[in-house]
Amino acid sequence: MTDLPIAGLSVRAVTLKDIAAHCGVSLGTVSLALRDDPRISTDTRARVLAAAAELGYDPTLHQAARRLALSKHGRDVLNHVIALIAPSGFHRPGYFAELLHGIMDVLVPAGFCALITYIYSHEDAQETTIPSALRAGIVDGLISMVRPEPVIALLDTLRRQPGFARRPTASLIWEMPGSSCVRADDEGAGYALTRRLLALGHRHFLQLTFLLPYSKTMEPQNYRIAGARRALAEAGLDPDRHLLLADMSNFNWLNPAHIDSDQPELAQVWVGDRVLPLVDVLRAHPAITAIFGLNDASALRAWRLLEGAGYRVPADYSIVGFDDTTPRLDAAGANQLSSARVPLQEIGRAAATLIIEQATAAVPRAPAELVLPVAMAFRGSVGPARG
Amino acid sequence: MTDLPIAGLSVRAVTLKDIAAHCGVSLGTVSLALRDDPRISTDTRARVLAAAAELGYDPTLHQAARRLALSKHGRDVLNHVIALIAPSGFHRPGYFAELLHGIMDVLVPAGFCALITYIYSHEDAQETTIPSALRAGIVDGLISMVRPEPVIALLDTLRRQPGFARRPTASLIWEMPGSSCVRADDEGAGYALTRRLLALGHRHFLQLTFLLPYSKTMEPQNYRIAGARRALAEAGLDPDRHLLLADMSNFNWLNPAHIDSDQPELAQVWVGDRVLPLVDVLRAHPAITAIFGLNDASALRAWRLLEGAGYRVPADYSIVGFDDTTPRLDAAGANQLSSARVPLQEIGRAAATLIIEQATAAVPRAPAELVLPVAMAFRGSVGPARG
DNA sequence: GTGAAAGCGCTAACAA
DNA sequence: TTGTTAGCGCTTTCAC
């Protein structure tokens, strides 16, 4: 071995064989020593470690060989890479950036990287269109940041691929069967918001919703409604009579221009199977004094429609948004919209911590569920019930 | 082989050996046939491919073995993964999200994923703290979205690692020696902005700057100044006498609260080695009628300080920002701040396209440089020179 | 406690 | 045109 590498300038990467030759021991001994196998004497282990350091042995360079050898025994190798399923198109850059921020804050100091990919649709779950990196044994775990339906299909395929198999997976915001979940306490938030408004004398509420095709699953929207209903029931009020659902599906809350639009169609909501202007719904239910938005945009939209009809907030109606992402500023620049703040960064951090734990655990862990508290911000849009 | 796998439900992954047995040919023949080697007859190749499809052979599952075998000949294997060096802390979420958006739009349809990691400081270039995924031969290329200094140090180490070596690298926004570069035409933008103001009768300009420790390199700021100087020289004006530089380094343009702050220190700028209020600088140079910000925040800050001193924009001073990220709205909700828009998404797209090309090229390509045009938005903050 | 040897699945040189 | 064989660097079983 005349071309023994000089540390840092290796033409050829240092191998176990080099260390073995350097120490005058066998290759197998080096392998065991580097992995702290108790069969190796303290003395030889020390010599091997010293030689490895001196020659500049880097185990990560030989992941391929290690993986190949271990595959014989069905074992795996950590790559320090976590897959992230991101929403294609970044519909809500802030939302996604906050989650990613939290995730990276945990992954990077732990020596992990995030492997970001998209899912475009259900079809992408086909074996052929799955990003090859997910099947190649590159990732040690997976975090989904999108609606679960397409990811469920994807995992269904990945689970039976030897390169992914039983690696830990987690879903953010939404629950996903078979995966860990880190989400906000939407039920608790709905409950707390309602309690507060009940304390202010409100008794009849309008809940704005977006009826999605998948809305049968327990998703955030439904948890919030469930929380509101619990608060009502606790107060001795029949939820079915005191919480009216109005669907805003024709209003695109991702389009800022929709909030202040004067288009008549965008003023319409569905109540049951009838469609009529939001203001008419309120006139038909004069006992309603408070409105829950599904997010800030829907709350602001309702506020705007009320203003257009000559109503005042909070004198005539109290209004609450959700997520605390879109403010409504008064003359002094202060936000007036009450809202509930989903702790996006914390959700990201918790999920990354969880996945790293599960990926590095000696024995496989069962999926876990983390529910993080939601902070309330009551501002000028909320006041005592009128009358 | 009684446990031959059933497609899609494999206990054990299908190997070349399985295919060879199935076809009654040798293992080497299968290997060559699957890689379309001309030595194999059309007939056997067809049989091998059919068997591979029937048994559900997935080459990506055996990357480790392939990589190990190829390592003998110094060859590499594509993983369809591009590393992205992101700014830690997401100081400017919008900026980063736009770049990422463009990058992903190209990578994902091409079957690639992005491996995101941070660099915290120069120290991170130490071999031990480099994310192991970058050394393990996982990535096929690298795109840097941060200031180049720490990345240069990182690449200096990575280049001599067998797992990275000569893989293609690209830097966005900033030039980086030895790497491809995709950036905006800042020089052209500085030139075009100045030409426009010259046409409006302006002859003396104030350029706001941020004097960074690395500002000797040709970075965006310096390109913009160079463009402005070219326009002046072209108009027969001495750039040294017609473009005054005022440094705003004590103003933190990432802090929105700084823009409207009344703190006296935040009103100060450096001109040469003197520090004094921005407004005093303008009073001392009454010929100046137009101000170039280095970004929108610095332009808005100047605007605010002028307002505080009783000046009007654009009647007394014309003001131009850069990046077009932070608007200043008038009563009707229209943005008043003139700015130049760096095509962030396009930069991301171009860089991803470039890296994929270079990573998949049969022969190594030399680093390339792409300079994308910058669009101008002249709005209410710009008008004819006074007097 | 340590050495020798088999093999993980693949590629490529060499034979036939 | 195809078969045979020697590794790639590692882990692990089995002698000693």
Side-chain angles (χ1 to χ4, degrees):
Chain A
M1 296 253 174
T2 53
D3 63 341
L4 254 191
I6 299 108
L9 281 169
S10 36
V11 215
R12 177 178 65 77
V14 182
T15 71
L16 291 197
K17 212 158 125 191
D18 298 324
I19 303 178
H22 188 92
C23 294
V25 296
S26 86
L27 196 156
T29 303
V30 176
S31 172
L32 293 175
L34 286 180
R35 281 172 297 132
D36 269 348
D37 191 289
R39 280 170 290 184
I40 303 300
S41 71
T42 349
D43 176 55
T44 32
R45 179 179 12 262
R47 275 169 46 226
V48 166
L49 291 178
E54 185 188 336
L55 298 177
Y57 177 74
D58 181 353
T60 58
L61 298 184
H62 306 294
Q63 291 281 41
R66 187 167 300 112
R67 183 184 303 280
L68 189 58
L70 286 172
S71 73
K72 175 157 50 174
H73 310 278
R75 299 219 288 122
D76 256 318
V77 158
L78 263 196
N79 263 326
H80 299 281
V81 174
I82 302 297
L84 253 49
I85 310 292
S88 71
F90 291 78
H91 293 306
R92 294 176 72 190
Y95 207 81
F96 171 74
E98 287 296 298
L99 290 173
L100 185 57
H101 195 324
I103 290 172
M104 295 300 285
D105 272 358
V106 170
L107 287 190
V108 175
F112 279 75
C113 293
L115 186 87
I116 301 207
T117 190
Y118 288 167
I119 301 191
Y120 282 111
S121 70
H122 285 64
E123 275 98 78
D124 281 37
Q126 312 262 327
E127 201 159 331
T128 46
T129 54
I130 292 181
S132 63
L134 294 184
R135 290 176 289 130
I138 284 178
V139 305
D140 305 319
L142 179 146
I143 297 176
S144 166
M145 311 164 73
V146 301
R147 293 197 63 87
E149 293 77 11
V151 184
I152 290 171
L154 171 80
L155 286 180
D156 194 50
T157 308
L158 279 181
R159 288 289 184 211
R160 60 185 79 178
Q161 304 265 352
F164 192 90
R166 310 189 57 74
R167 285 171 167 69
T169 56
S171 176
L172 307 192
I173 314 292
W174 294 275
E175 294 177 303
M176 189 161 76
S179 294
S180 295
C181 176
V182 182
R183 58 184 180 86
D185 183 11
D186 288 281
E187 202 274 347
Y191 175 78
L193 290 173
T194 309
R195 290 259 303 178
R196 173 65 162 257
L197 289 173
L198 284 168
L200 285 167
H202 298 270
R203 288 296 175 269
H204 288 265
F205 303 85
L206 183 73
Q207 168 76 55
L208 304 175
T209 68
F210 291 91
L211 286 187
L212 305 162
Y214 358 71
S215 60
K216 282 170 206 145
T217 65
M218 264 329 241
E219 60 177 87
Q221 166 175 248
N222 293 343
Y223 274 114
R224 290 177 203 165
I225 295 171
R229 292 174 60 93
R230 174 162 65 98
L232 291 173
E234 229 180 68
L237 305 174
D238 177 2
D240 287 332
R241 296 168 38 85
H242 288 259
L243 184 68
L244 184 67
L245 302 187
D247 189 66
M248 284 195 124
S249 289
N250 53 345
F251 161 77
N252 179 2
W253 57 275
L254 291 170
N255 184 346
H258 271 203
I259 291 179
D260 291 331
S261 167
D262 287 328
Q263 273 192 268
E265 314 89 77
L266 297 183
Q268 313 262 344
V269 296
W270 272 265
V271 176
D273 53 0
R274 299 189 52 201
V275 52
L276 64 176
L278 175 68
V279 172
D280 291 0
V281 174
L282 292 171
R283 291 204 178 109
H285 298 268
I288 290 178
T289 57
I291 301 173
F292 292 124
L294 188 70
N295 44 46
D296 290 340
S298 55
L300 292 174
R301 177 62 182 155
W303 193 333
R304 164 76 187 201
L305 292 172
L306 288 177
E307 263 183 341
Y311 294 106
R312 310 278 297 273
V313 173
D316 299 316
Y317 290 97
S318 286
I319 292 186
V320 179
F322 216 99
D323 292 345
D324 209 16
T325 54
T326 318
R328 174 170 159 136
L329 306 178
D330 62 10
N335 186 7
Q336 291 295 105
L337 182 63
S338 305
S339 200
R341 195 183 149 277
V342 174
L344 297 172
Q345 272 196 38
E346 287 72 27
I347 288 178
R349 266 199 287 276
T353 308
L354 183 72
I355 283 290
I356 289 180
E357 264 175 29
Q358 297 191 336
T360 54
V363 290
R365 302 260 177 91
E369 178 151 15
L370 279 171
V371 179
L372 304 188
V374 173
M376 310 290 146
F378 290 102
R379 306 195 179 99
S381 69
V382 162
R386 69 172 181 283
Chain B
M1 296 252 174
T2 53
D3 62 342
L4 255 188
I6 299 108
L9 281 169
S10 36
V11 214
R12 176 179 66 76
V14 183
T15 70
L16 292 197
K17 213 158 124 189
D18 298 324
I19 303 178
H22 188 92
C23 295
V25 296
S26 84
L27 197 156
T29 304
V30 175
S31 172
L32 292 174
L34 287 180
R35 281 173 294 136
D36 266 348
D37 191 288
R39 282 170 290 185
I40 302 300
S41 73
T42 350
D43 175 54
T44 31
R45 177 176 17 260
R47 275 170 46 227
V48 167
L49 290 178
E54 185 187 336
L55 298 177
Y57 176 74
D58 182 354
T60 59
L61 298 183
H62 306 295
Q63 290 281 40
R66 187 168 299 110
R67 182 185 304 280
L68 189 58
L70 286 172
S71 73
K72 174 157 51 172
H73 310 279
R75 299 220 290 122
D76 257 319
V77 158
L78 264 196
N79 262 326
H80 299 282
V81 174
I82 302 297
L84 253 50
I85 310 294
S88 70
F90 291 79
H91 293 306
R92 295 177 74 190
Y95 207 82
F96 171 74
E98 287 295 299
L99 289 173
L100 185 56
H101 194 324
I103 290 171
M104 296 300 284
D105 272 358
V106 170
L107 287 190
V108 175
F112 279 74
C113 294
L115 186 87
I116 300 207
T117 189
Y118 288 167
I119 299 192
Y120 281 111
S121 70
H122 285 64
E123 275 98 79
D124 281 37
Q126 311 262 328
E127 201 159 329
T128 46
T129 53
I130 292 181
S132 63
L134 294 185
R135 289 176 291 129
I138 284 178
V139 305
D140 305 319
L142 179 145
I143 297 176
S144 165
M145 311 163 73
V146 302
R147 293 197 62 87
E149 294 79 11
V151 184
I152 290 171
L154 171 80
L155 285 180
D156 194 50
T157 308
L158 279 181
R159 288 291 184 208
R160 60 186 79 179
Q161 304 265 351
F164 193 90
R166 310 189 55 73
R167 285 171 168 68
T169 56
S171 175
L172 307 191
I173 314 293
W174 294 275
E175 294 177 303
M176 191 161 76
S179 293
S180 295
C181 175
V182 182
R183 59 182 180 86
D185 183 11
D186 288 280
E187 202 273 348
Y191 175 77
L193 291 174
T194 309
R195 289 258 304 179
R196 174 65 162 257
L197 290 174
L198 284 168
L200 286 167
H202 299 270
R203 288 296 175 269
H204 288 264
F205 302 86
L206 184 73
Q207 169 76 56
L208 303 175
T209 68
F210 290 92
L211 286 188
L212 305 162
Y214 359 72
S215 60
K216 283 170 205 146
T217 65
M218 264 330 243
E219 60 177 87
Q221 165 174 249
N222 294 343
Y223 274 115
R224 290 176 204 167
I225 295 172
R229 292 173 60 93
R230 175 162 67 97
L232 291 173
E234 229 180 68
L237 305 175
D238 177 2
D240 286 332
R241 296 168 38 84
H242 288 260
L243 184 68
L244 184 67
L245 303 187
D247 189 65
M248 284 196 123
S249 289
N250 52 346
F251 161 76
N252 180 1
W253 58 275
L254 290 170
N255 184 345
H258 271 204
I259 290 178
D260 292 331
S261 167
D262 286 328
Q263 271 192 270
E265 315 88 78
L266 296 182
Q268 312 262 344
V269 296
W270 272 266
V271 176
D273 53 359
R274 300 188 53 201
V275 52
L276 64 176
L278 175 69
V279 171
D280 291 0
V281 175
L282 291 172
R283 290 202 179 110
H285 297 268
I288 291 178
T289 56
I291 301 173
F292 292 124
L294 187 70
N295 44 46
D296 290 339
S298 54
L300 293 174
R301 177 62 181 154
W303 194 332
R304 165 76 187 200
L305 292 172
L306 288 177
E307 263 183 343
Y311 294 106
R312 309 280 296 274
V313 172
D316 299 315
Y317 290 97
S318 286
I319 292 185
V320 178
F322 216 98
D323 291 346
D324 209 18
T325 55
T326 319
R328 173 171 158 135
L329 306 177
D330 62 12
N335 185 8
Q336 292 295 105
L337 182 63
S338 305
S339 200
R341 196 183 149 277
V342 174
L344 297 172
Q345 272 196 39
E346 286 73 27
I347 288 178
R349 266 198 287 275
T353 308
L354 183 72
I355 282 289
I356 290 180
E357 265 175 29
Q358 297 191 335
T360 54
V363 290
R365 301 261 178 90
E369 179 152 15
L370 278 173
V371 180
L372 305 188
V374 173
M376 311 289 147
F378 291 102
R379 306 195 178 99
S381 69
V382 162
R386 70 172 179 279

